[in-house]
């Protein structure tokens, strides 16, 4: 009898855990659907030094950190 009650309790906890996970996934999906990732910002202005750099531009800004022995 105790085994049957323990199995029923475990089954109930598993069912409640599944329900909780299902609700959290649904809530997460609703948040993702409400947020439009592909919409650009109205105005994006980069500071002058924060543009996409060319490889030669990156090399010219590097500083020597030390010397090799």
């Amino acid at each position: 009898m105790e085994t049957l009650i323990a199995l029923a309790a475990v089954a109930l906890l598993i069912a409640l855990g599944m329900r909780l996970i299902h609700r959290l996934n649904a809530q997460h999906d609703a948040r993702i659907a409400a947020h439009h990732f592909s919409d650009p910002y109205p105005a994006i202005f980069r500071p002058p030094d924060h543009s996409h750099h060319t490889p030669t531009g990156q090399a010219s800004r590097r500083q020597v950190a030390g010397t090799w022995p």
Side-chain angles (χ1 to χ4, degrees):
M1 184 67 178
E2 292 173 5
T3 305
L4 185 61
I5 293 172
L7 288 175
V10 168
L12 179 65
L13 288 174
I14 289 172
L16 289 174
M18 287 173 48
R19 172 94 172 134
L20 176 65
I21 290 170
H22 179 42
R23 290 186 65 195
L24 288 173
N25 282 338
Q27 187 180 35
H28 182 68
D29 290 342
R31 271 195 209 123
I32 289 174
H35 188 79
H36 302 287
F37 290 103
S38 62
D39 289 347
Y41 289 108
I44 297 178
F45 296 104
R46 291 180 180 240
D49 195 33
H50 288 79
S51 62
H52 293 290
H53 302 295
T54 61
T56 56
Q58 288 177 346
S60 67
R61 277 194 309 280
R62 290 188 186 137
Q63 296 180 4
V64 177
T67 58
W68 186 254

